[in-house]
Amino acid sequence: GQSKQPPIRLQFFVAYSAPSSRAAMATLESVMKTLEDRVELEVIDVIRSPERALEEGILVTPALIRLFPGPKRTLIGDLRSESALRRFLHDSPLQPER
Amino acid sequence: MSIAAAPSISKLATGIDGFDRLSGGGVPEGRTTLLVGGPGTGKTVFALNTLANRLRDAGESGIFVTFEEDADTLIANAASFGWTLSSGGAAEGGPGIFVLDAKLNPDVAQSGDFDLNGLIGALTALKERTGARLIVLDSIDWLLAMLDSGAARRRELLRLRQWLRQEGATALLTAKTDQPLEGDAESALAYLPYMTECVVVLHHEVSRRVARRWIRLLKYRGAAHNSNASPLLIRSGGIMVIADKVDMG
């Protein structure tokens, strides 16, 4: 069943035209299906919404930002390592990065 | 019917008189100029001075993308020459020189390949907001250092060049390297001269405790120019280049 915790909140800055972004989106989608936690995900294409890239200081894509649970942290790249992605989604500051 | 001279590309005066004489009018407009030289040769000051002069002389806004220096240090450096930079997209209206802080946060985790579409997006938005057509990217080495392979570096240089071309922007790219640009073909830096129409080399030497600086036009596609080294001074008001008129011989 769905855990009662508040959902993980993510922002995902991508460029639909770029291979690394497409690969990352596929990996994130498949990992999210296996998660028990609820996830709120906002996907932003930096080419279609350049203002968002400027305001959020996004330099490279793909860039996955975890807003909650804090502190805000970022993972860039095509997410080729699912384990790195899972750690990124679940690590809380108390838990040292493995 | 006048005999059409070779189509001379239009030039953007930098307002640095000696350089404008050296180059027969300034940097190629709508094209990319590479300012290459070791640390302390005045690349960043030259680029800042050009932005400040365009704002003063032509009321044109400019964008300074900093990959290496903190935005506030850069703003303070510029202020020491009397030039005003504003950070981010703070365009409450009116022309200005806008700093885009493009330093990659060191504690960002990475997993796999990435590209610079984010920078392209941010630049597009800032250019839209400010109407700036002169863009400085300081320095390109730091931009390339973010990328893991020669192929990725060349791909992202091409992406940047394509965006600059499509936007009709005049770009000044600084490159820190002082080893010969022709270096090994693998390094993207050896690739830079092919994507830039104008290459300016700055040199800095200290002998008997006297610092001497020079500037030289290594390449200027499609335009006559004076390619011998000219002394360059960094004064409180900015850059001075001692050069006589280019001989159109």
Side-chain angles (χ1 to χ4, degrees):
Chain A
Q2 287 286 359
S3 63
K4 257 112 9 278
Q5 282 178 329
I8 297 175
R9 277 183 44 231
L10 300 173
Q11 272 181 338
F12 197 20
F13 288 87
V14 295
Y16 289 128
S17 58
S20 51
S21 284
R22 285 201 302 277
M25 285 191 276
T27 308
L28 182 60
E29 211 177 329
S30 71
V31 165
M32 274 173 59
K33 286 201 186 83
T34 66
L35 292 180
E36 279 154 20
D37 330 63
R38 277 186 307 114
V39 177
E40 275 174 19
L41 170 66
E42 182 195 14
V43 181
I44 304 111
D45 180 327
V46 290
I47 301 302
R48 290 208 192 102
S49 322
E51 280 291 331
R52 293 294 304 277
L54 180 61
E55 263 133 34
E56 311 272 346
I58 299 303
L59 247 182
V60 303
T61 46
L64 183 61
I65 298 174
R66 194 182 83 180
L67 298 172
F68 184 86
K72 180 175 165 182
R73 54 198 334 195
T74 305
L75 177 61
I76 58 171
D78 56 28
L79 304 182
R80 62 184 53 171
S81 151
E82 266 202 23
S83 57
L85 173 57
R86 287 182 191 285
R87 272 203 311 277
F88 173 79
L89 291 174
H90 284 121
D91 262 355
S92 62
L94 308 172
Q95 209 180 23
E97 289 263 308
R98 268 177 304 288
Chain B
M1 193 270 291
S2 70
I3 298 170
S8 68
I9 37 173
S10 70
K11 295 181 183 175
L12 193 81
T14 65
I16 300 170
D17 295 339
F19 178 79
D20 289 344
R21 274 198 300 280
L22 205 63
S23 56
V27 292
E29 189 163 18
R31 295 283 187 273
T32 300
T33 293
L34 181 66
L35 298 171
V36 61
T41 53
K43 300 186 297 297
T44 300
V45 180
F46 188 99
L48 281 170
N49 205 160
T50 302
L51 287 167
N53 290 346
R54 292 306 304 177
L55 182 61
R56 181 195 63 197
D57 303 342
E60 286 167 6
S61 284
I63 292 173
F64 191 108
V65 185
T66 177
F67 293 98
E68 181 190 342
E69 191 66 84
D70 298 324
D72 27 25
T73 312
L74 189 76
I75 291 171
N77 288 351
S80 70
F81 289 99
W83 307 323
T84 312
L85 267 55
S86 42
S87 62
E92 295 83 16
I97 301 168
F98 301 96
V99 179
L100 181 59
D101 190 336
K103 285 195 2 279
L104 193 57
N105 174 338
D107 47 37
V108 154
Q110 179 187 345
S111 161
D113 269 346
F114 56 85
D115 56 54
L116 293 177
N117 273 298
L119 174 64
I120 297 294
L123 268 174
T124 303
L126 189 54
K127 187 168 182 294
E128 209 72 51
R129 257 190 213 180
T130 61
R133 286 185 58 247
L134 175 56
I135 296 173
V136 171
L137 294 121
D138 180 55
S139 63
I140 203 83
D141 323 64
W142 276 73
L143 163 73
L144 298 177
M146 289 194 269
L147 299 155
D148 304 338
S149 70
R153 286 188 202 106
R154 276 195 296 280
R155 182 193 66 215
E156 294 313 309
L157 271 180
L158 274 178
R159 186 190 312 281
L160 180 61
R161 177 185 154 111
Q162 188 194 343
W163 182 81
L164 290 167
R165 234 336 123 68
Q166 161 198 317
E167 298 281 327
T170 302
L172 299 183
L173 266 55
T174 67
K176 207 183 267 308
T177 171
D178 34 28
Q179 21 100 333
L181 270 183
E182 286 65 35
D184 58 87
E186 173 51 30
S187 97
L189 282 182
Y191 185 73
L192 272 171
Y194 304 108
M195 75 173 253
T196 49
E197 280 67 26
C198 173
V199 178
V200 177
V201 178
L202 293 104
H203 186 66
H204 175 216
E205 200 177 75
V206 180
S207 62
R208 291 194 301 281
R209 288 197 312 286
V210 172
R212 280 200 186 74
R213 287 191 173 84
W214 288 287
I215 185 168
R216 192 163 64 83
L217 266 169
L218 182 67
K219 176 182 114 177
Y220 204 130
R221 195 175 296 161
H225 60 278
N226 166 347
S227 58
N228 36 41
S230 304
L232 178 145
L233 307 168
I234 301 183
R235 287 286 173 67
S236 61
I239 298 270
M240 258 186 73
V241 169
I242 320 292
D244 35 35
K245 199 135 186 18
V246 65
D247 41 40
M248 296 297 216

